[in-house]
Amino acid sequence: MRLPILAPTLSGLAILAGSSAFAAGELNIFNWGEYTSPELIKKFEETYDVKVTITDFDSNDTALAKARQGGNNFDIVVPSSTFVPVWIAEGLLLESRPDQMENFKNMDPRWVDVSFDPGRHYTVPWQWGTTGVIVDTDLYKGDPNTSTIFLDPPPELAGKVNVVPEMGDVMALAIRAEGGQDCTADMEVLKRVHEKLVAAKPKWVAMDYASIEKYTGGDYAAGLSWSGAAMRVRLEAPRFVYGYPKEGYPIWMDNVAILKSAPNVENAKLFQNFIMDPENAAMISAYARYANGIKGSEQFMPEDMRNAPEINIPPEFVDKGEFSPACPPEVNDLYTRIWTDVLK
Amino acid sequence: MSQAQEIAEEMARRSVRTRWWLSAPALAVVFLFAIAPLAVIVLYSFMAKGDYGDVKYWQFSLDGWFSVFFERGLFDDSIGIAQAHVSILWRSVKLALITTVVTLLIGFPTAYFIAIRPPSQRDFWLFLITIPFWTNLLIRTFAIQEVFRNEGVLNTVLMWSGLIREPLKIMFTDLGIFLGMAYVYLPLMVLPIYASLEKFDFRFAEAASDLYANNRNVLWRIIIPMTRPAIIAGCILVFIPALGAYVTPRLLGGGKNLMLGNLIELQFGQGRNWPLGAALSLTLTGVVMLALLVYVRAASKEGRSHG
C-alpha cells in the first residue's frame, strides 16, 4: 500500500532536485550602479550557462547596511578598499582564496599584497582609480599636480572650483596637504585642516558629483575629482588636465568578494576567476572607464584609454598615492564634526 | 433597568464595535506605515551608535540626542550649544519661510486670476498649473538647472537679445535656490487658495464696492479674511515639505551649505551616526508639529470669530 504514495513523493523529489540544479545556474551580483559591463555579463552567461542578476547600490554604507540585515540572495559584492576590512571583520565575506585560482597569475603584483586584503584571500580587483584634481589649463598655467588647486585656489580659479562632496576624499587630501597621516587624530593637524577648509570654501562654487557638461560648459574650471571622471571631461574638452597632488593623494579600489551567505558559491568563484582574465578585465574598464589591476589587459582596452594619463599614473607620482583605510569610529566622528562645521 | 434601555445600550455597543471593525483596515495602514516606522526611529535615536553605521541594539544611550543640541568643543573640552546644527536648522527654517512667502505672493494672484475666469476656461488654467506634477521632482530640478546655468537657456536668450552682456549668476546662489523652490512648490499654494476663491461669492465684493470700499479695502477686508483658512492651508502645505527640502537646494545651490535634510543624510551615510540621524529627523518632525500647532490655533481662532 505504501508504494503508490512513495512513487509521487519520489517524482516530487526528482522535480525538486531538477529545480535546484536549475538554481545552480544563477549568480546574483550586488554592485555599484552603472558599473557592470553588459558585454562582460553576457560573455559570462554564455560561457558558463549561468543567469546573472545585478542589483545596484549607491554607497559603501548602504551596501554594508543591506548586507548586514541579511534576507538577500546576493553572491557577489563589490566593496571599496576602505570598507573591505570592515566586511571581513564583520564576518560577511567568504574566504574564497582567489590567490589559488587559475587566473591569479594575471594580477598585477602591485595589487596582491594590499593592506586591506594581504595576499588576496578574499577579493579580486574590479576597478581602481585615484582621487586628484582637475583644472582648465586655459585659465590656469601653473603646476596642476597639487591639492592647492582646491585647498587654496589661485585667483584665476577662485569661485570656479567644484569639490566632490565625499568627506573621506576631501579630508584625506587636506590632511596629507597639512603633513598628516591618514585617519590621524592629531588635533594640531586637524585644527590646521579645519582652518584650511573653512578658508577655502568661499572660493568653491559648488560641492557636486559633477557632470561632464558642468566642466565643459564652463560652470566649473577646476575641482577635486576622480581620475575616471576627469578623463571623461578631457576627452570632451582637451583643455582640462588631471593632476596628481604631490602632497599625497588617495588610491581607491573596488573589489569583487563573495558573501558568506552566497547561495551560488561555485558560480561566484567562477566569476572571480573569470574577471582576472585580461580580455574580460578590459571589458570592465571599457565600460566603467577605470583601470582594472590585471596585467596584459591594456592591449584589449579601447584606444583612448591605453595611454590615458588619468589611468596610467606617471612614474614620478606613483609613490605619492596610497590606499586610504576606513578610519576608526571615533576618528570618523571627529571628521564628521569638522565636516559639518565646514559646511554649516 | 428597563428593557428598552438595555436594547438601546446593546445597539450602541454593537455600532461602536462595527465602527472599529470597519475602520480596522485604515487603522492597520496607519499603524504599519506611519506609527511603526516612527517608533523605529524613536528607538534608534536612543541607542548607542554602531561602529560602521547601524546601531548597537538595546544599548541605551542619549548621545544621539545630546549631540543634536550640544557638542564638546572641537579643539578644546568645553561643552556648548551645537552651533553648526543650530545654523543649519535656521537655514532650513529660513528657506522654508521665504519659499512660503514667495509662493504666496505669486500663488494668490494666480489663484485669483483663475477664479475670475469664466467657468469654462478655469479647467484649462488649472490644467496648466498641474502639468509640472506629471514629471518627477528630480527631473524638474535638473531642467531648471539647464535654464539657470551660465550657458543655460535664460542667459543665452538674454545675451542674444542684447539685454545683458555678462551671464546672470543665478545658478549656485541663494536666488537660484529660492526661484527653484518657488517653482517646485507653487502648485501646492495655488490649488487650495483656488478651491476657496472658486466658492467665494463675488457678490460680497460687489456689495463692498457699492458701499464705497476701494479695491484695496475689498481685497484686505473682504476677500482675504474670507479665504484665510485656505491661505493658511496653502502656507502649511508649502512650509512643511520645504523644511525638509533636499534635492532642490543641493542641485541649485551647489550643495556647499548643508540643509537639515542633507545633515540627516550625512549621519546615515558617511557620518555613520544613525542615532544622531534619527534624533535629527525627530527634531525636524518636532518643528513640523509646531508649525501644525500654529495652524490649528489660527484655524480655531478663525472658527471663534465667525461663531
Side-chain angles (χ1 to χ4, degrees), chain B residues 110-144:
Chain B
T110 312
Y112 188 84
F113 173 82
I114 300 175
I116 58 173
R117 292 303 97 189
S120 59
Q121 288 179 21
R122 286 181 203 160
D123 284 346
F124 170 72
W125 290 102
L126 272 185
F127 172 71
L128 289 186
I129 293 282
T130 49
I131 280 183
F133 275 142
W134 297 4
T135 313
N136 176 287
L137 171 67
L138 194 62
I139 295 170
R140 268 187 289 158
T141 313
F142 273 109
I144 319 173

Side-chain angles (χ1 to χ4, degrees), chain A residues 121-157:
Chain A
H121 291 189
Y122 294 88
T123 64
V124 170
W126 175 259
Q127 295 275 274
W128 67 270
T130 57
T131 307
V133 292
I134 179 171
V135 63
D136 182 342
T137 51
D138 280 359
L139 281 171
Y140 173 77
K141 305 290 179 200
D143 175 16
N145 296 303
T146 167
S147 36
T148 51
I149 298 274
F150 82 97
L151 285 175
D152 188 10
E156 60 266 38
L157 295 178

Side-chain angles (χ1 to χ4, degrees), chain A residues 15 57 79 133 257 290 338 343:
Chain A
I15 291 168
F57 60 80
V133 292
Y290 286 96
I338 294 175
L343 300 190

Side-chain angles (χ1 to χ4, degrees), chain B:
Chain B
M1 215 186 281
S2 74
Q3 197 155 6
Q5 201 181 346
E6 253 170 56
I7 292 172
E9 268 175 18
E10 176 59 28
M11 295 272 281
R13 229 174 292 146
R14 227 181 266 174
S15 89
V16 167
R17 223 175 297 148
T18 332
R19 248 179 279 159
W20 274 107
W21 274 116
L22 285 177
S23 43
L27 287 175
V29 167
V30 168
F31 181 80
L32 269 177
F33 298 113
I35 297 176
L38 203 65
V40 172
I41 299 178
V42 173
L43 276 179
Y44 272 40
S45 74
F46 285 109
M47 284 192 236
K49 82 180 194 64
D51 287 346
Y52 295 95
D54 217 329
V55 293
K56 291 193 173 120
Y57 289 92
W58 312 118
Q59 273 188 39
F60 178 79
S61 160
L62 282 174
D63 285 355
W65 281 101
F66 177 82
S67 35
V68 170
F69 302 106
F70 303 102
E71 64 182 1
R72 235 168 275 282
L74 256 177
F75 302 111
D76 54 56
D77 249 351
S78 64
I79 290 182
I81 299 288
Q83 280 223 337
H85 293 172
V86 171
S87 68
I88 290 165
L89 177 67
W90 171 234
R91 178 178 303 121
S92 289
V93 171
K94 199 171 62 179
L95 174 69
L97 282 175
I98 294 178
T99 306
T100 311
V101 171
V102 173
T103 49
L104 180 60
L105 288 179
I106 306 173
F108 188 88
T110 312
Y112 188 84
F113 173 82
I114 300 175
I116 58 173
R117 292 303 97 189
S120 59
Q121 288 179 21
R122 286 181 203 160
D123 284 346
F124 170 72
W125 290 102
L126 272 185
F127 172 71
L128 289 186
I129 293 282
T130 49
I131 280 183
F133 275 142
W134 297 4
T135 313
N136 176 287
L137 171 67
L138 194 62
I139 295 170
R140 268 187 289 158
T141 313
F142 273 109
I144 319 173
Q145 239 186 2
E146 286 309 306
V147 175
F148 287 169
R149 279 177 52 185
N150 283 359
E151 294 187 5
V153 179
L154 185 70
N155 277 318
T156 314
V157 169
L158 285 177
M159 299 220 321
W160 175 79
S161 67
L163 282 171
I164 52 167
R165 279 163 193 283
E166 286 281 298
L168 293 178
K169 275 245 165 230
I170 304 175
M171 194 61 190
F172 305 132
T173 62
D174 285 351
L175 179 68
I177 301 184
F178 295 140
L179 287 174
M181 293 284 284
Y183 162 72
V184 167
Y185 291 110
L186 191 61
L188 297 177
M189 184 64 87
V190 172
L191 294 177
I193 297 181
Y194 166 74
S196 166
L197 280 173
E198 191 210 12
K199 283 191 227 100
F200 181 75
D201 190 340
F202 278 92
R203 282 177 303 182
F204 284 118
E206 282 165 26
S209 299
D210 287 346
L211 295 167
Y212 297 103
N214 57 23
N215 284 344
R216 223 172 105 181
N217 275 330
V218 171
L219 179 67
W220 282 105
R221 301 179 64 169
I222 308 292
I223 299 179
I224 288 183
M226 289 183 80
T227 49
R228 214 179 89 172
I231 294 175
I232 297 176
C235 290
I236 292 285
L237 279 180
V238 171
F239 183 79
I240 290 176
L243 197 60
Y246 172 84
V247 171
T248 315
R250 181 157 195 164
L251 289 181
L252 295 179
K256 263 171 69 185
N257 298 311
L258 294 176
M259 296 286 159
L260 208 47
N262 311 113
L263 181 66
I264 292 169
E265 185 228 7
L266 176 68
Q267 305 310 331
F268 283 103
Q270 302 172 45
R272 300 184 207 137
N273 194 342
W274 291 19
L276 175 57
L280 282 167
S281 315
L282 290 170
T283 312
L284 177 62
T285 314
V287 176
V288 169
M289 296 277 256
L290 215 67
L292 278 176
L293 213 67
V294 170
Y295 169 60
V296 171
R297 270 300 204 43
S300 71
K301 219 184 276 169
E302 185 68 23
R304 263 206 305 280
S305 69
H306 276 295

